[in-house]
Each structure stands twice: as structure tokens, then as C-alpha cells.
Amino acid sequence: MAEERAGSTAPESAPAAPAAPAAPVAPAAPAEQGPLQADTTDSASEGYYSDADSDLTSLASSVTNYVYENGRRYHAYRAGKYVLPNDETEKDRLDLVHHLFTLVLRGALHLAPIKNPQTVLDMGTGTGIWALDMADLYPSATVIGNDLSPIQPQFIAQNTQFVVEDFEEEWAYPENKFDYIHGRTLLGAVKDWPDLFAQAYKHLKPGGYLEMQEGAVWAWSDDGSLKDDSPIMTFLSLLGSESEKMGRPMNVIDKLETWMKEAGFVDVELKVFKVPWSPWPKDRHLKEVGKFQFANMMQSIDSYGLALLTRSAGYSEQEAKIFLAVVRNQIRSKALHCYNKIYCVYGRKPEKPTESEKE
Ligand SMILES: C[S@@+](CC[C@H](N)C(=O)[O-])C[C@H]1O[C@@H](n2cnc3c(N)ncnc32)[C@H](O)[C@@H]1O
């Protein structure tokens, strides 16, 4: 694919994707909010539509034992498994996303109705920021965060533990160990969700909860300002198709609830929250959310796109970077009133073993 396009000049708008993705298929789960209203009077947010690329950029990492690609650093343990970077820029973005989630959830770290949990596991903990907050919230709990990358801080609260571990392998923890298992923004990191949920089920105590908090790798608009053939939708479709080709699909958000039920969890609840991509809404809370999501999106486009476009979709580094810049430009448009959705899904392992578990 890359060879076919080798002689072409750099595109001025969205470059032709090597394989045109199929017509976008939006995740089909319900939204709990009605159509979002755009603020047509707001001048205070003007700055958010200008180039904010450098807002989160920090010094390059001095850690050397990693894989470098297209100017970004990736994990070395089980290299190639996970397509987002793990460098300082990405760590800053993950901490920003933590703020975004807690803002959307009005300060809550979890929605599952857990009471005084004593053993907590955070799958794919990233910088560990959620696990550290959780350990603060429940000081008598032990909170374990695992990850492929050792990018967590070293000086941590005594009731927190970080381990380099692959959550797709057979878990070494005892069965019925945890009161609560959490995973956040793992879309694109998991090959076999039913298997992951089955492992979580096995290692939860009876009565314990599994909770996934995920941001849909998709976008919507209520006023038609986001067109199906726009760079953003081309990009999101490509993420969907290429991540699927690589074996860890990103566009599976609407299946999480079903997979959780099929794994045996009961009282499964799904809560959906709209997350505007810039401070365009009238609603003050959503406007605040939009400011943080805008900064996140300026970084996310590269984090989610660079490796997939170059490793799987046949783009050269330069082609990928130009295309991703075009996508960011569309996000900067004030006329665009788009959002994605955060899905929080949780369910309880039954107190009593089911008939099949007794056998
Ligand atoms: C987008 S980050 C989210 C981090 C964290 N959950 C949060 O919300 O701040 C996904 C994390 O999952 C980790 N990850 C991906 N695949 C994994 C695996 N198989 N085992 C353990 N961690 C994994 C990545 O290294 C990355 O740190």
C-alpha cells in the first residue's frame, strides 16, 4: 500500500486513506442525555480553537529500555501488543484523562456500589493515578495496579502496589481475591474481552464488582455538524478497521455490557455520558468538560493513530502525521459540535455459585 502511494505529493486536506474504510458504524448503545445545545454567545473560549498542540508537551523521556517509533516511545515488555505510546507526553495525557473522567463522573472514582473494599485491582493502570486516588479514598484497602509498562511513580502510598504484568495472561492471583476490579480506557488493548471478564469473575470474591470505564473511540453530533465523510470520521473508521485487523478492536464499546452479563455478572448497569470535544456547549459543566477533552483530543489523535496508521494501514510516518494534523484541524473548527461518550459498565459476581460453577 505504502509503495503505491510513494510518488504522490503530500495532501492538502485529508489524504486518501490506503483502503477506504467501510461506512462508519456507530456504536449502538443508548445515550442518557438529550441533544446538546451549542453556546452561540461564548467568546471566552476562543483560545481553545487555536493551536494547542504544545499545551501538554513535556521533555522527551530519558528512559532507554523501550521501543521508539515515529518519534514516540512504546512499551518493550511484550513489545507491539499495545499500540499507544508510554512516553512522558502520553503520561501527561493519561493524567489529564483521569481528570476528565472524574470531572464527568462529578468526582466519583467508581460507580459500582462498593462499600469499604479491602482488595482492589486496576487492570492496565497506566500512570497509576486512579489506583493512587483509590488507595487514598479507601486507606484500609490494598490497591494493586498492573501494566505492561513500568511508568508508575516509585514513591507511593503503602497501600498501593504496582506490578509489570500482562492482564491477558493467566492471572497468578488466588481465586476469589478481589472485592473490586477496575479497568479504564482499555479499548484497543484487549484481544479477547470475554476471556478478560471471565478472569475477572474468577478472581473476584462472591459479591465483588467488576467496573469498566471506557471512552467510545467514536464521535457524534446532534446538529449534523460532523459529516460522515469528514477527516474525523475517516480517522475513526480507520482506527476501527485497523485495530480489528491487528486483533485488538477499538470499536467494541457497545458490546461490553453483553460480555459482562455473559461472563456471569448480575445486576449489570450501563451509564453513558456525552463528552464534547471542545467548549462549544451552552451547559457550564459540559463546557468545562469540553476544555479538557479538547486538550486530550489534540494529543489522543497521535496516541491512537500513529502506530496503527504506520504499522497496519500502510502510511509512511510523514503521511500519517499530515493526516493526523488534518484531523486535529477539523477538531479546532468552532462550527463543529461533536462529542463522544463515556460508558461506565459494572456488574456483581453473584454471592452464591451458579449451578455450573458448583459442578
Ligand atoms: C489508555 S491507558 C489507560 C491507563 C489507565 N487505565 C487510566 O485510565 O489512566 C491503557 C494502559 O493499559 C496498559 N495495557 C495494555 N495492554 C495491557 C496488558 N495486556 N496488560 C497490562 N496492561 C496493559 C497500557 O500499557 C496502558 O498503560
Side-chain angles (χ1 to χ4, degrees):
M1 279 298 181
E3 278 164 28
E4 268 174 37
R5 295 183 297 129
S8 63
T9 51
E12 283 168 1
S13 59
V25 182
E32 292 183 344
Q33 295 150 310
L36 302 187
Q37 300 289 315
D39 185 352
T40 50
T41 61
D42 179 32
S43 56
S45 301
E46 290 296 338
Y48 286 89
Y49 298 93
S50 62
D51 186 345
D53 260 5
S54 59
D55 285 0
L56 292 173
T57 309
S58 54
L59 292 176
S61 170
S62 58
V63 182
T64 52
N65 190 20
Y66 289 108
V67 175
Y68 291 84
E69 238 179 73
N70 306 320
R72 300 300 301 264
R73 191 188 77 187
Y74 293 84
H75 67 100
Y77 176 64
R78 309 269 155 92
K81 207 167 187 181
Y82 174 62
V83 291
L84 274 69
N86 71 0
D87 50 23
E88 297 303 317
T89 306
E90 179 67 0
K91 285 167 67 179
D92 287 348
R93 189 188 73 80
L94 292 180
D95 288 350
L96 174 76
V97 170
H98 176 68
H99 179 67
L100 187 65
F101 269 73
T102 46
L103 193 61
V104 170
L105 303 184
R106 312 265 179 177
L109 292 177
H110 57 82
L111 297 187
I114 48 174
K115 301 224 164 46
N116 202 19
Q118 294 304 297
T119 42
V120 174
L121 176 66
D122 185 26
M123 305 180 290
T125 196
T127 63
I129 190 167
W130 179 91
L132 290 165
D133 277 1
M134 193 70 176
D136 274 354
L137 184 64
Y138 297 108
S140 63
T142 298
V143 182
I144 301 173
N146 65 16
D147 206 284
L148 293 173
S149 289
I151 54 171
Q152 303 78 33
Q154 285 181 342
F155 300 103
I156 54 176
Q158 273 188 338
N159 62 332
T160 320
Q161 294 167 17
F162 291 124
V163 282
V164 173
E165 203 165 71
D166 183 345
F167 59 58
E168 293 195 311
E169 296 292 302
E170 193 70 30
W171 294 7
Y173 302 106
E175 287 186 28
N176 305 320
K177 176 180 171 69
F178 295 103
D179 292 309
Y180 177 67
I181 297 179
H182 169 264
R184 193 174 65 183
T185 61
L186 298 183
L187 295 180
V190 179
K191 191 173 203 153
D192 187 341
W193 283 91
D195 183 61
L196 184 68
F197 287 176
Q199 294 230 61
Y201 187 94
K202 184 163 135 192
H203 295 278
L204 273 170
K205 289 178 189 160
Y209 278 87
L210 169 66
E211 177 163 353
M212 299 304 304
Q213 299 182 351
E214 293 293 336
V217 187
W218 201 254
W220 293 262
S221 69
D222 294 337
D223 61 0
S225 58
L226 179 62
K227 307 277 182 250
D228 277 356
D229 59 354
S230 65
I232 290 176
M233 296 313 283
T234 304
F235 172 65
L236 291 171
S237 300
L238 268 172
L239 289 187
S241 56
E242 299 307 317
S243 61
E244 181 129 16
K245 244 201 256 168
M246 301 268 291
R248 289 186 171 75
M250 289 182 177
N251 200 350
V252 293
I253 196 146
D254 53 338
K255 299 188 181 144
L256 298 179
E257 187 185 10
T258 305
W259 284 332
M260 217 179 258
K261 288 178 182 163
E262 286 172 358
F265 290 94
V266 294
D267 293 337
V268 174
E269 294 277 346
L270 168 66
K271 312 270 184 213
V272 183
F273 304 86
K274 289 184 179 177
V275 181
W277 281 18
S278 57
W280 60 264
K282 219 174 194 172
D283 177 273
R284 282 180 63 167
H285 174 68
L286 289 174
K287 188 183 286 294
E288 183 72 2
V289 169
K291 288 179 184 173
F292 286 98
Q293 177 65 331
F294 180 78
N296 174 38
M297 290 314 301
M298 289 297 109
Q299 300 288 330
S300 291
I301 299 301
D302 276 11
S303 293
Y304 279 79
L306 255 184
L308 272 184
L309 291 182
T310 55
R311 286 182 198 171
S312 174
Y315 282 67
S316 68
E317 177 180 349
Q318 193 196 13
E319 287 166 334
K321 285 185 169 166
I322 291 169
F323 177 41
L324 298 175
V326 171
V327 176
R328 275 195 299 274
N329 257 344
Q330 192 192 354
I331 298 172
R332 287 192 192 102
S333 161
K334 208 179 167 186
L336 179 74
H337 299 151
C338 86
Y339 58 86
N340 73 327
K341 298 173 190 173
I342 284 180
Y343 284 43
C344 295
V345 195
Y346 59 84
R348 193 178 77 252
K349 177 171 173 175
E351 279 76 4
K352 292 198 177 119
T354 60
E355 288 309 312
S356 61
E357 284 165 358
K358 281 187 206 156
E359 285 161 14

